[in-house]
Amino acid sequence: SRQLISLYTTVQNPNRTSLGLSELVVLPPLWARCDGFDPQHTCWIGAEPLKAANKVPALNIYMVSCEGPTADKSSFANLEELKMEHKIRHHSPVVTTKGFAEYELMAGAAAEDSIAEGGSSIGVDVTWDGVERILEPPPLISAATLNIALESGDPRSPVFQLYRELQFLLALAEGLKTGVTEWPEPSESESALRLVQEFLTDLKQKLDGDYTFGNKNETEKIKCDTAAVDSCIKSIFGERGDLDFTEQLWCKMKIVVSFPGVSSYQELIDCFTLVIKSLERGEIQPWIHQGSSSFLSQLIQQSYHGKVEDVSLSGITPVQMLLEIGLEKMKKDYVSFFIGQSRNSLLLQDYFISTSVDLQEQVHRVQKLHHMLEIMVSCTGLLQFRHENLFPLTQICMKYYKENPLNEKHVFQLPIRADLVKKFYQNDNPEVWRVEISSGHGQEEVKTTWQVSTSAPVEHGTSNSSGGEC
Protein backbone atom coordinates (compact mmCIF):
# COMPACT_ATOMS: atom_id res chain seq x y z
CA SER A 1 0.00 0.00 0.00
CA ARG A 2 2.86 2.37 0.82
CA GLN A 3 4.49 1.61 -2.53
CA LEU A 4 1.23 2.25 -4.34
CA ILE A 5 0.75 5.62 -2.61
CA SER A 6 4.39 6.47 -3.31
CA LEU A 7 3.97 5.83 -7.05
CA TYR A 8 0.78 7.88 -7.00
CA THR A 9 2.48 10.87 -5.39
CA THR A 10 5.41 10.60 -7.79
CA VAL A 11 3.13 10.78 -10.82
CA GLN A 12 1.51 13.90 -9.34
CA ASN A 13 4.86 15.66 -8.85
CA PRO A 14 5.24 18.33 -11.59
CA ASN A 15 9.01 18.48 -10.99
CA ARG A 16 9.61 14.85 -12.00
CA THR A 17 10.45 15.50 -15.68
CA SER A 18 12.02 12.06 -15.93
CA LEU A 19 8.52 10.57 -16.10
CA GLY A 20 8.18 11.87 -19.64
CA LEU A 21 4.70 13.27 -19.10
CA SER A 22 3.86 16.01 -21.61
CA GLU A 23 0.99 17.26 -19.47
CA LEU A 24 0.17 16.77 -15.82
CA VAL A 25 -3.15 15.02 -15.19
CA VAL A 26 -4.72 15.61 -11.79
CA LEU A 27 -5.76 12.21 -10.57
CA PRO A 28 -8.74 11.51 -8.29
CA PRO A 29 -8.01 10.66 -4.64
CA LEU A 30 -6.54 7.22 -4.03
CA TRP A 31 -7.26 5.05 -1.00
CA ALA A 32 -5.55 1.73 -0.37
CA ARG A 33 -7.30 -0.71 1.93
CA CYS A 34 -4.94 -2.52 4.32
CA ASP A 35 -5.45 -5.68 6.39
CA GLY A 36 -4.51 -4.12 9.75
CA PHE A 37 -1.99 -6.85 10.61
CA ASP A 38 0.94 -4.45 10.93
CA PRO A 39 1.95 -3.24 14.43
CA GLN A 40 0.01 0.01 13.94
CA HIS A 41 -3.15 -1.87 12.78
CA THR A 42 -3.29 0.26 9.61
CA CYS A 43 -6.60 -0.18 7.79
CA TRP A 44 -6.38 2.61 5.17
CA ILE A 45 -3.70 4.71 3.52
CA GLY A 46 -4.90 7.56 1.32
CA ALA A 47 -3.65 10.42 -0.83
CA GLU A 48 -5.62 13.38 -2.13
CA PRO A 49 -4.24 16.07 -4.50
CA LEU A 50 -4.76 19.71 -3.54
CA LYS A 51 -5.75 21.51 -6.74
CA ALA A 52 -4.82 25.09 -7.56
CA ALA A 53 -5.32 26.39 -11.12
CA ASN A 54 -4.99 22.91 -12.68
CA LYS A 55 -1.80 22.32 -10.72
CA VAL A 56 -1.02 20.13 -7.75
CA PRO A 57 1.02 22.21 -5.30
CA ALA A 58 0.63 19.59 -2.55
CA LEU A 59 -1.05 16.35 -1.54
CA ASN A 60 -2.85 15.33 1.62
CA ILE A 61 -1.57 12.02 2.93
CA TYR A 62 -3.79 10.00 5.29
CA MET A 63 -3.03 7.03 7.49
CA VAL A 64 -5.87 5.40 9.41
CA SER A 65 -5.36 2.73 12.05
CA CYS A 66 -8.04 0.92 14.01
CA GLU A 67 -8.03 -1.15 17.21
CA GLY A 68 -10.86 -2.73 19.13
CA PRO A 69 -13.42 -3.40 20.27
CA THR A 70 -12.64 -3.01 23.96
CA ALA A 71 -14.37 -2.11 27.21
CA ASP A 72 -11.09 -1.20 28.92
CA LYS A 73 -10.77 2.58 28.97
CA SER A 74 -7.41 2.30 30.73
CA SER A 75 -5.94 1.06 27.46
CA PHE A 76 -6.64 4.39 25.80
CA ALA A 77 -3.79 6.80 25.23
CA ASN A 78 -3.91 9.99 27.26
CA LEU A 79 -3.95 13.41 25.65
CA GLU A 80 -0.31 14.23 26.41
CA GLU A 81 0.83 10.98 24.80
CA LEU A 82 -1.16 11.84 21.68
CA LYS A 83 0.41 15.30 21.55
CA MET A 84 3.90 13.81 21.84
CA GLU A 85 3.16 11.35 19.06
CA HIS A 86 1.90 14.22 16.93
CA LYS A 87 5.09 16.23 17.53
CA ILE A 88 7.18 13.30 16.37
CA ARG A 89 5.43 13.59 12.99
CA HIS A 90 5.58 17.40 12.96
CA HIS A 91 8.24 19.28 14.89
CA SER A 92 6.13 22.23 15.94
CA PRO A 93 6.22 23.80 19.40
CA VAL A 94 2.59 24.91 19.14
CA VAL A 95 -0.33 22.49 18.79
CA THR A 96 -4.08 23.12 19.05
CA THR A 97 -6.79 20.68 20.04
CA LYS A 98 -10.40 20.45 18.96
CA GLY A 99 -13.01 18.10 20.45
CA PHE A 100 -16.03 16.43 18.87
CA ALA A 101 -18.78 14.34 20.44
CA GLU A 102 -21.88 12.78 18.89
CA TYR A 103 -24.85 11.88 21.07
CA GLU A 104 -28.11 10.10 20.30
CA LEU A 105 -30.89 12.10 21.95
CA MET A 106 -33.97 10.19 20.85
CA ALA A 107 -33.13 7.04 22.77
CA GLY A 108 -32.69 8.89 26.04
CA ALA A 109 -35.62 11.26 25.62
CA ALA A 110 -37.94 8.55 24.34
CA ALA A 111 -37.17 6.21 27.21
CA GLU A 112 -39.95 7.81 29.21
CA ASP A 113 -42.47 7.74 26.40
CA SER A 114 -43.06 8.84 22.87
CA ILE A 115 -41.63 8.53 19.41
CA ALA A 116 -40.36 5.12 18.32
CA GLU A 117 -36.99 4.47 16.91
CA GLY A 118 -37.44 2.59 13.64
CA GLY A 119 -35.73 4.66 10.96
CA SER A 120 -35.93 7.81 13.06
CA SER A 121 -33.18 9.50 15.01
CA ILE A 122 -32.49 12.77 16.77
CA GLY A 123 -28.86 13.36 17.61
CA VAL A 124 -26.49 16.21 18.30
CA ASP A 125 -22.93 16.89 17.19
CA VAL A 126 -20.91 19.01 19.61
CA THR A 127 -17.56 20.67 18.89
CA TRP A 128 -15.26 22.71 21.13
CA ASP A 129 -11.71 24.03 21.29
CA GLY A 130 -9.11 23.35 23.93
CA VAL A 131 -9.56 19.69 24.88
CA GLU A 132 -8.06 18.94 28.28
CA ARG A 133 -8.48 15.17 28.60
CA ILE A 134 -9.67 12.11 26.69
CA LEU A 135 -13.45 11.52 26.77
CA GLU A 136 -14.15 14.79 28.54
CA PRO A 137 -17.79 15.98 28.27
CA PRO A 138 -18.34 19.01 26.04
CA PRO A 139 -18.38 22.35 27.87
CA LEU A 140 -21.57 24.42 27.79
CA ILE A 141 -19.99 26.98 25.47
CA SER A 142 -19.58 24.32 22.77
CA ALA A 143 -21.06 24.73 19.31
CA ALA A 144 -23.77 22.16 18.61
CA THR A 145 -25.72 20.96 15.60
CA LEU A 146 -28.98 19.03 15.94
CA ASN A 147 -29.41 16.21 13.40
CA ILE A 148 -33.02 15.12 12.81
CA ALA A 149 -34.21 12.26 10.63
CA LEU A 150 -37.80 11.16 11.24
CA GLU A 151 -40.11 8.69 9.58
CA SER A 152 -43.82 9.44 9.87
CA GLY A 153 -46.43 7.03 11.14
CA ASP A 154 -45.31 5.96 14.59
CA PRO A 155 -48.46 4.90 16.54
CA ARG A 156 -47.09 6.64 19.64
CA SER A 157 -46.76 9.98 17.90
CA PRO A 158 -49.18 12.68 19.09
CA VAL A 159 -50.15 13.28 15.45
CA PHE A 160 -50.81 9.65 14.56
CA GLN A 161 -54.52 10.28 13.98
CA LEU A 162 -53.60 13.01 11.53
CA TYR A 163 -51.17 10.62 9.86
CA ARG A 164 -53.96 8.08 9.38
CA GLU A 165 -56.15 10.80 7.93
CA LEU A 166 -53.35 11.60 5.51
CA GLN A 167 -53.09 7.92 4.56
CA PHE A 168 -56.75 7.91 3.56
CA LEU A 169 -56.10 11.02 1.48
CA LEU A 170 -53.16 9.27 -0.21
CA ALA A 171 -55.33 6.21 -0.90
CA LEU A 172 -57.88 8.42 -2.65
CA ALA A 173 -55.14 10.08 -4.70
CA GLU A 174 -53.75 6.69 -5.67
CA GLY A 175 -57.25 5.58 -6.64
CA LEU A 176 -57.52 8.53 -9.01
CA LYS A 177 -54.27 7.48 -10.69
CA THR A 178 -55.00 3.77 -10.98
CA GLY A 179 -58.78 3.81 -11.19
CA VAL A 180 -58.96 1.32 -8.30
CA THR A 181 -59.74 2.31 -4.70
CA GLU A 182 -59.79 -0.27 -1.91
CA TRP A 183 -62.56 0.27 0.65
CA PRO A 184 -62.70 -1.25 4.15
CA GLU A 185 -65.25 -3.75 5.35
CA PRO A 186 -68.54 -1.99 6.22
CA SER A 187 -69.16 -1.35 9.90
CA GLU A 188 -72.24 -2.92 11.47
CA SER A 189 -72.59 -0.28 14.17
CA GLU A 190 -71.90 2.89 12.20
CA SER A 191 -72.01 4.08 8.62
CA ALA A 192 -70.88 7.25 6.89
CA LEU A 193 -74.23 7.47 5.10
CA ARG A 194 -76.14 7.58 8.37
CA LEU A 195 -73.74 10.14 9.84
CA VAL A 196 -74.11 12.36 6.77
CA GLN A 197 -77.90 12.02 6.91
CA GLU A 198 -77.93 13.04 10.59
CA PHE A 199 -75.56 15.92 9.81
CA LEU A 200 -77.85 17.26 7.04
CA THR A 201 -80.96 16.79 9.16
CA ASP A 202 -79.32 18.74 11.96
CA LEU A 203 -78.54 21.58 9.54
CA LYS A 204 -82.10 21.67 8.24
CA GLN A 205 -83.48 21.93 11.77
CA LYS A 206 -81.14 24.75 12.64
CA LEU A 207 -81.54 26.71 9.42
CA ASP A 208 -84.23 28.95 10.85
CA GLY A 209 -82.61 29.33 14.26
CA ASP A 210 -79.53 31.06 15.59
CA TYR A 211 -77.22 28.30 14.42
CA THR A 212 -73.75 29.23 13.23
CA PHE A 213 -71.03 26.85 12.11
CA GLY A 214 -68.07 26.45 14.36
CA ASN A 215 -69.85 27.24 17.65
CA LYS A 216 -68.57 25.58 20.75
CA ASN A 217 -71.14 22.78 21.00
CA GLU A 218 -70.78 21.79 17.36
CA THR A 219 -67.03 21.89 17.55
CA GLU A 220 -67.07 19.61 20.56
CA LYS A 221 -69.40 17.26 18.66
CA ILE A 222 -66.99 17.11 15.72
CA LYS A 223 -64.12 16.34 18.07
CA CYS A 224 -66.10 13.50 19.57
CA ASP A 225 -67.23 12.17 16.21
CA THR A 226 -63.80 12.04 14.59
CA ALA A 227 -61.66 11.15 17.60
CA ALA A 228 -59.16 13.47 15.94
CA VAL A 229 -57.25 14.53 19.02
CA ASP A 230 -56.36 13.13 22.41
CA SER A 231 -55.08 14.72 25.57
CA CYS A 232 -51.49 14.54 24.36
CA ILE A 233 -52.01 16.29 21.04
CA LYS A 234 -54.23 19.06 22.36
CA SER A 235 -51.25 20.92 23.75
CA ILE A 236 -49.36 20.59 20.46
CA PHE A 237 -51.86 20.41 17.64
CA GLY A 238 -55.21 21.88 18.69
CA GLU A 239 -58.36 21.02 16.76
CA ARG A 240 -59.54 23.99 14.76
CA GLY A 241 -62.80 25.54 15.84
CA ASP A 242 -63.69 26.96 12.42
CA LEU A 243 -64.51 23.82 10.42
CA ASP A 244 -66.79 24.78 7.54
CA PHE A 245 -69.44 22.57 5.93
CA THR A 246 -67.12 20.68 3.56
CA GLU A 247 -64.59 20.08 6.34
CA GLN A 248 -67.25 18.71 8.67
CA LEU A 249 -68.51 16.54 5.82
CA TRP A 250 -64.99 15.17 5.34
CA CYS A 251 -64.90 14.33 9.05
CA LYS A 252 -68.06 12.24 8.59
CA MET A 253 -66.75 10.38 5.56
CA LYS A 254 -63.03 9.92 6.14
CA ILE A 255 -61.59 6.61 7.31
CA VAL A 256 -59.35 6.85 10.38
CA VAL A 257 -58.70 4.82 13.51
CA SER A 258 -61.88 4.13 15.51
CA PHE A 259 -64.04 5.76 12.85
CA PRO A 260 -65.72 3.83 10.02
CA GLY A 261 -65.94 6.39 7.17
CA VAL A 262 -67.23 5.46 3.74
CA SER A 263 -66.97 1.72 3.22
CA SER A 264 -67.70 1.45 -0.50
CA TYR A 265 -67.80 3.34 -3.75
CA GLN A 266 -71.60 3.13 -3.72
CA GLU A 267 -71.82 4.60 -0.21
CA LEU A 268 -69.61 7.46 -1.40
CA ILE A 269 -72.07 8.15 -4.21
CA ASP A 270 -75.02 7.93 -1.83
CA CYS A 271 -73.44 10.44 0.58
CA PHE A 272 -72.79 13.03 -2.12
CA THR A 273 -76.25 12.42 -3.59
CA LEU A 274 -77.81 13.34 -0.22
CA VAL A 275 -75.75 16.53 -0.06
CA ILE A 276 -76.44 17.64 -3.63
CA LYS A 277 -80.18 16.96 -3.32
CA SER A 278 -80.30 19.05 -0.12
CA LEU A 279 -78.52 21.88 -1.94
CA GLU A 280 -80.85 21.70 -4.93
CA ARG A 281 -83.95 21.86 -2.70
CA GLY A 282 -82.56 24.73 -0.67
CA GLU A 283 -82.91 22.68 2.50
CA ILE A 284 -79.49 23.76 3.72
CA GLN A 285 -77.45 26.94 3.26
CA PRO A 286 -74.03 25.81 4.41
CA TRP A 287 -71.14 28.12 5.19
CA ILE A 288 -67.76 27.54 3.53
CA HIS A 289 -64.42 29.23 3.90
CA GLN A 290 -63.65 32.09 1.55
CA GLY A 291 -61.35 30.90 -1.20
CA SER A 292 -62.52 27.26 -1.10
CA SER A 293 -62.06 25.94 -4.62
CA SER A 294 -63.27 22.34 -4.46
CA PHE A 295 -66.01 21.24 -6.83
CA LEU A 296 -68.41 20.77 -3.90
CA SER A 297 -67.66 24.33 -2.73
CA GLN A 298 -68.58 25.58 -6.21
CA LEU A 299 -71.91 23.74 -6.01
CA ILE A 300 -72.53 25.31 -2.58
CA GLN A 301 -71.80 28.77 -3.96
CA GLN A 302 -74.26 28.08 -6.80
CA SER A 303 -76.92 27.07 -4.27
CA TYR A 304 -76.73 30.57 -2.75
CA HIS A 305 -78.27 31.79 -6.01
CA GLY A 306 -80.89 29.05 -6.17
CA LYS A 307 -79.35 27.09 -9.03
CA VAL A 308 -77.11 24.00 -8.78
CA GLU A 309 -75.74 22.40 -11.95
CA ASP A 310 -76.50 18.78 -12.74
CA VAL A 311 -73.75 16.47 -11.52
CA SER A 312 -73.09 12.98 -12.81
CA LEU A 313 -71.78 11.03 -9.83
CA SER A 314 -70.04 8.35 -11.87
CA GLY A 315 -66.51 7.31 -12.71
CA ILE A 316 -63.82 9.07 -10.71
CA THR A 317 -65.98 12.14 -9.95
CA PRO A 318 -67.11 11.09 -6.42
CA VAL A 319 -63.56 10.05 -5.45
CA GLN A 320 -62.15 13.33 -6.73
CA MET A 321 -64.81 15.32 -4.87
CA LEU A 322 -63.93 13.57 -1.60
CA LEU A 323 -60.20 14.03 -2.23
CA GLU A 324 -60.68 17.75 -2.87
CA ILE A 325 -62.54 18.48 0.35
CA GLY A 326 -60.10 16.38 2.37
CA LEU A 327 -57.17 18.15 0.77
CA GLU A 328 -58.58 21.59 1.62
CA LYS A 329 -59.31 20.58 5.18
CA MET A 330 -55.87 19.09 5.83
CA LYS A 331 -54.08 22.07 4.29
CA LYS A 332 -55.87 24.34 6.75
CA ASP A 333 -54.99 21.98 9.62
CA TYR A 334 -51.28 22.20 8.85
CA VAL A 335 -51.34 25.92 8.15
CA SER A 336 -53.12 26.45 11.47
CA PHE A 337 -50.24 24.74 13.25
CA PHE A 338 -47.36 26.38 11.41
CA ILE A 339 -48.84 29.88 11.51
CA GLY A 340 -50.07 29.52 15.10
CA GLN A 341 -47.10 27.71 16.64
CA SER A 342 -44.18 28.88 14.52
CA ARG A 343 -45.71 32.10 13.18
CA ASN A 344 -43.97 31.32 9.92
CA SER A 345 -44.98 33.52 7.00
CA LEU A 346 -43.13 31.32 4.51
CA LEU A 347 -46.26 29.16 4.26
CA LEU A 348 -48.10 32.13 2.82
CA GLN A 349 -45.78 32.18 -0.17
CA ASP A 350 -48.20 29.76 -1.79
CA TYR A 351 -45.95 26.77 -2.44
CA PHE A 352 -47.36 24.33 0.11
CA ILE A 353 -51.00 25.44 -0.21
CA SER A 354 -51.10 26.30 -3.92
CA THR A 355 -54.11 25.14 -5.95
CA SER A 356 -52.49 26.03 -9.29
CA VAL A 357 -50.85 22.57 -9.54
CA ASP A 358 -52.68 19.30 -10.16
CA LEU A 359 -54.26 17.32 -7.32
CA GLN A 360 -51.48 14.72 -7.18
CA GLU A 361 -48.85 17.42 -6.67
CA GLN A 362 -51.03 19.12 -4.05
CA VAL A 363 -51.25 15.83 -2.14
CA HIS A 364 -47.47 15.41 -2.42
CA ARG A 365 -46.96 18.85 -0.88
CA VAL A 366 -49.36 18.05 1.94
CA GLN A 367 -47.19 14.99 2.66
CA LYS A 368 -44.25 17.35 3.01
CA LEU A 369 -46.24 19.48 5.46
CA HIS A 370 -47.01 16.41 7.53
CA HIS A 371 -43.38 15.33 7.65
CA MET A 372 -42.42 18.82 8.82
CA LEU A 373 -45.17 18.64 11.45
CA GLU A 374 -43.81 15.32 12.74
CA ILE A 375 -40.39 16.95 13.13
CA MET A 376 -41.78 19.97 14.98
CA VAL A 377 -43.91 17.81 17.28
CA SER A 378 -40.96 15.55 18.08
CA CYS A 379 -38.72 18.50 18.95
CA THR A 380 -41.51 20.03 21.01
CA GLY A 381 -42.43 16.85 22.87
CA LEU A 382 -39.01 15.26 23.31
CA LEU A 383 -36.71 18.27 23.57
CA GLN A 384 -39.19 20.86 24.91
CA PHE A 385 -38.28 23.28 22.13
CA ARG A 386 -39.99 26.66 22.12
CA HIS A 387 -40.85 29.10 19.36
CA GLU A 388 -37.37 30.61 19.13
CA ASN A 389 -35.98 27.14 18.32
CA LEU A 390 -38.89 25.88 16.21
CA PHE A 391 -38.93 28.95 13.98
CA PRO A 392 -35.47 28.47 12.40
CA LEU A 393 -36.03 24.70 12.17
CA THR A 394 -39.30 25.29 10.32
CA GLN A 395 -37.53 27.62 7.90
CA ILE A 396 -34.82 25.03 7.25
CA CYS A 397 -37.43 22.31 6.56
CA MET A 398 -39.54 24.54 4.32
CA LYS A 399 -36.55 25.69 2.28
CA TYR A 400 -35.51 22.07 1.75
CA TYR A 401 -39.00 20.93 0.74
CA LYS A 402 -39.51 23.83 -1.64
CA GLU A 403 -36.53 22.51 -3.59
CA ASN A 404 -36.67 18.74 -3.08
CA PRO A 405 -39.21 15.86 -3.18
CA LEU A 406 -40.46 14.15 -0.02
CA ASN A 407 -37.57 12.36 1.68
CA GLU A 408 -38.08 11.01 5.19
CA LYS A 409 -34.46 9.76 5.22
CA HIS A 410 -33.09 13.30 4.91
CA VAL A 411 -31.20 14.60 7.93
CA PHE A 412 -32.23 18.15 8.83
CA GLN A 413 -29.54 20.08 10.66
CA LEU A 414 -30.12 22.93 13.09
CA PRO A 415 -27.33 24.87 14.83
CA ILE A 416 -28.22 25.26 18.51
CA ARG A 417 -26.66 26.10 21.86
CA ALA A 418 -25.28 23.01 23.60
CA ASP A 419 -26.99 23.93 26.85
CA LEU A 420 -30.40 23.50 25.18
CA VAL A 421 -29.95 19.73 24.99
CA LYS A 422 -27.25 19.09 27.59
CA LYS A 423 -29.68 17.50 30.04
CA PHE A 424 -30.50 14.80 27.47
CA TYR A 425 -26.90 13.64 27.04
CA GLN A 426 -24.94 14.71 30.11
CA ASN A 427 -25.33 11.31 31.80
CA ASP A 428 -24.86 9.26 28.62
CA ASN A 429 -21.79 8.07 26.79
CA PRO A 430 -21.33 9.55 23.30
CA GLU A 431 -21.75 7.45 20.17
CA VAL A 432 -18.54 9.03 18.89
CA TRP A 433 -15.85 11.01 20.72
CA ARG A 434 -12.68 12.34 19.10
CA VAL A 435 -9.92 14.85 19.50
CA GLU A 436 -8.08 16.52 16.65
CA ILE A 437 -4.54 17.75 17.27
CA SER A 438 -3.24 20.25 14.70
CA SER A 439 -0.09 22.21 14.01
CA GLY A 440 1.19 24.27 11.10
CA HIS A 441 -0.83 26.13 8.51
CA GLY A 442 -1.81 25.75 4.87
CA GLN A 443 0.25 23.17 3.00
CA GLU A 444 2.38 22.65 6.11
CA GLU A 445 -0.56 21.67 8.31
CA VAL A 446 -0.45 18.29 10.03
CA LYS A 447 -3.35 16.71 11.90
CA THR A 448 -3.57 13.77 14.25
CA THR A 449 -7.08 12.50 15.07
CA TRP A 450 -7.92 9.99 17.81
CA GLN A 451 -11.46 8.64 18.00
CA VAL A 452 -13.56 6.11 19.87
CA SER A 453 -17.01 5.01 18.76
CA THR A 454 -19.71 2.55 19.79
CA SER A 455 -19.70 0.99 16.31
CA ALA A 456 -16.84 -0.20 14.15
CA PRO A 457 -15.43 2.77 12.21
CA VAL A 458 -14.33 0.49 9.34
CA GLU A 459 -15.84 -2.71 8.05
CA HIS A 460 -12.55 -4.61 7.94
CA GLY A 461 -11.13 -3.38 11.27
CA THR A 462 -9.47 -5.86 13.59
CA SER A 463 -11.83 -7.43 16.11
CA ASN A 464 -9.49 -9.35 18.43
CA SER A 465 -6.91 -6.77 19.47
CA SER A 466 -6.98 -4.54 22.51
CA GLY A 467 -7.44 -0.80 22.49
CA GLY A 468 -10.03 1.39 20.90
CA GLU A 469 -8.21 3.84 18.66
CA CYS A 470 -8.95 4.88 15.14
Side-chain angles (χ1 to χ4, degrees):
S1 295
R2 293 179 186 275
Q3 290 177 344
L4 180 62
I5 296 296
S6 178
L7 288 171
Y8 174 88
T9 57
T10 301
V11 171
Q12 294 291 281
N13 190 340
N15 299 317
R16 293 296 299 268
T17 56
S18 60
L19 294 175
L21 298 176
S22 58
E23 182 179 353
L24 178 66
V25 178
V26 180
L27 298 175
L30 175 66
W31 285 87
R33 173 170 157 166
C34 311
D35 58 19
F37 293 156
D38 63 309
Q40 290 77 33
H41 304 291
T42 304
C43 54
W44 288 101
I45 300 178
E48 180 181 21
L50 296 176
K51 300 178 184 179
N54 295 324
K55 294 182 179 180
V56 182
L59 289 91
N60 279 335
I61 303 296
Y62 303 92
M63 295 188 64
V64 182
S65 62
C66 181
E67 297 182 29
T70 181
D72 181 15
K73 292 182 180 181
S74 64
S75 65
F76 295 166
N78 63 47
L79 188 58
E80 291 306 315
E81 291 173 345
L82 292 175
K83 287 181 179 179
M84 292 300 297
E85 186 176 342
H86 174 85
K87 290 180 178 180
I88 292 173
R89 297 191 182 99
H90 193 232
H91 303 290
S92 173
V94 180
V95 297
T96 60
T97 56
K98 189 178 186 68
F100 172 89
E102 176 187 325
Y103 293 91
E104 174 60 48
L105 302 184
M106 177 170 279
E112 302 176 1
D113 195 26
S114 203
I115 316 294
E117 292 135 26
S120 301
S121 66
I122 299 179
V124 64
D125 295 341
V126 190
T127 59
W128 67 99
D129 295 321
V131 178
E132 297 182 356
R133 67 181 189 278
I134 295 297
L135 292 180
E136 71 177 12
L140 286 179
I141 59 173
S142 304
T145 300
L146 199 66
N147 301 304
I148 308 167
L150 281 179
E151 292 185 1
S152 303
D154 191 290
R156 289 172 286 184
S157 168
V159 291
F160 182 63
Q161 292 281 9
L162 198 64
Y163 171 79
R164 291 298 299 265
E165 189 172 344
L166 176 64
Q167 294 309 296
F168 180 49
L169 199 74
L170 294 175
L172 294 175
E174 185 66 20
L176 281 186
K177 284 197 299 185
T178 63
V180 178
T181 302
E182 293 187 9
W183 303 97
E185 292 293 327
S187 171
E188 297 180 0
S189 59
E190 209 60 288
S191 75
L193 183 61
R194 188 179 69 80
L195 291 174
V196 170
Q197 179 66 71
E198 291 178 352
F199 178 46
L200 296 176
T201 301
D202 191 43
L203 296 187
K204 293 173 190 176
Q205 293 173 349
K206 295 179 179 179
L207 183 59
D208 297 328
D210 297 326
Y211 172 78
T212 57
F213 286 94
N215 64 42
K216 181 178 180 181
N217 291 336
E218 183 63 22
T219 301
E220 292 301 321
K221 181 176 184 297
I222 292 297
K223 289 183 182 181
C224 180
D225 284 344
T226 62
V229 291
D230 57 21
S231 58
C232 181
I233 192 177
K234 285 179 182 178
S235 62
I236 299 173
F237 190 90
E239 178 77 5
R240 288 189 295 117
D242 63 342
L243 299 180
D244 71 2
F245 173 81
T246 62
E247 291 173 321
Q248 294 185 60
L249 186 64
W250 164 261
C251 290
K252 304 294 183 183
M253 299 171 68
K254 69 182 179 183
I255 302 172
V256 292
V257 180
S258 305
F259 189 80
V262 288
S263 59
S264 68
Y265 177 71
Q266 184 58 50
E267 186 176 31
L268 177 62
I269 294 175
D270 293 341
C271 287
F272 278 127
T273 299
L274 282 176
V275 173
I276 293 173
K277 291 296 184 184
S278 296
L279 291 174
E280 289 174 342
R281 296 170 185 154
E283 296 172 344
I284 57 174
Q285 294 180 4
W287 167 76
I288 57 174
H289 286 296
Q290 185 178 2
S292 295
S293 59
S294 66
F295 182 53
L296 182 57
S297 294
Q298 295 173 25
L299 296 180
I300 292 171
Q301 290 170 354
Q302 293 173 13
S303 73
Y304 296 160
H305 306 286
K307 178 63 177 177
V308 178
E309 68 178 87
D310 292 332
V311 180
S312 175
L313 294 174
S314 60
I316 64 171
T317 298
V319 178
Q320 181 164 326
M321 288 175 65
L322 186 58
L323 174 62
E324 287 176 349
I325 65 174
L327 195 55
E328 285 195 341
K329 189 262 184 186
M330 296 201 72
K331 282 181 184 179
K332 289 185 174 63
D333 286 343
Y334 293 119
V335 169
S336 175
F337 172 83
F338 284 107
I339 298 298
Q341 297 293 325
S342 300
R343 299 189 280 280
N344 199 310
S345 60
L346 284 179
L347 262 175
L348 300 180
Q349 294 183 4
D350 199 41
Y351 173 81
F352 293 100
I353 56 177
S354 173
T355 57
S356 61
V357 294
D358 63 42
L359 282 176
Q360 298 296 335
E361 176 60 22
Q362 290 183 51
V363 171
H364 184 65
R365 294 181 185 184
V366 165
Q367 279 185 278
K368 294 179 179 182
L369 284 174
H370 183 85
H371 187 221
M372 291 190 293
L373 174 66
E374 294 264 14
I375 292 172
M376 300 307 135
V377 166
S378 296
C379 290
T380 302
L382 293 179
L383 306 179
Q384 290 90 54
F385 272 13
R386 298 182 178 181
H387 164 68
E388 58 267 25
N389 310 118
L390 290 179
F391 181 77
L393 179 58
T394 305
Q395 288 189 316
I396 290 170
C397 293
M398 287 185 174
K399 183 179 186 301
Y400 175 81
Y401 271 142
K402 280 188 174 183
E403 302 168 355
N404 299 279
L406 178 71
N407 179 12
E408 295 192 349
K409 302 290 186 182
H410 179 73
V411 178
F412 292 95
Q413 295 188 310
L414 175 69
I416 58 171
R417 303 192 318 272
D419 62 309
L420 278 176
V421 292
K422 183 178 185 295
K423 64 180 180 180
F424 297 110
Y425 69 74
Q426 60 185 350
N427 297 321
D428 293 333
N429 292 319
E431 303 293 308
V432 175
W433 191 99
R434 69 171 172 262
V435 59
E436 183 180 279
I437 304 170
S438 304
S439 58
H441 300 281
Q443 297 178 16
E444 303 297 324
E445 184 179 29
V446 175
K447 291 184 179 181
T448 299
T449 301
W450 185 91
Q451 172 177 302
V452 287
S453 61
T454 56
S455 57
V458 293
E459 294 179 358
H460 61 289
T462 56
S463 59
N464 56 356
S465 60
S466 62
E469 302 176 25
C470 176

